[in-house]
Amino acid sequence: MIDTTLNPTPEEPEIPYEAARDELVGIVTRLESGGISLAETMTLWERGEKLADICQSWLDGARARIEAARSDADTSQP
């Protein structure tokens, strides 16, 4: 069963990208398999939305770091 209670708080470290992605894959698999109540479906869906946002934040951060590195490389070349 998927743990839907994991909610990072400001005091806790952010969930790593890989953990968020893996949990999201598990939620999608569970939702696709069907046979769960509407209440559980909604709980899983909401958790999936949070995990998708976390993954997107990680990817956006990585993209920004890559663009910054490219910009630094371009300005440092003669």
Side-chain angles (χ1 to χ4, degrees):
M1 177 148 194
I2 303 297
D3 179 6
T4 59
T5 62
L6 181 61
N7 294 313
T9 64
E11 306 86 46
E12 296 174 334
E14 188 172 358
I15 183 172
Y17 171 80
E18 293 80 2
R21 181 201 59 217
D22 291 347
E23 186 179 346
L24 182 56
V25 168
I27 287 173
V28 169
T29 301
R30 183 82 193 274
L31 289 170
E32 288 178 341
S33 71
I36 56 177
S37 70
L38 178 58
E40 188 173 1
T41 297
M42 293 306 300
T43 299
L44 289 170
W45 183 271
E46 289 168 353
R47 179 63 180 157
E49 288 286 334
K50 289 178 186 176
L51 291 166
D53 288 344
I54 290 169
C55 289
Q56 189 62 55
S57 292
W58 277 107
L59 294 172
D60 291 344
R63 182 178 294 117
R65 288 190 305 273
I66 290 169
E67 289 173 2
R70 283 183 178 165
S71 177
D72 289 346
D74 290 344
T75 60
S76 68
Q77 292 184 5

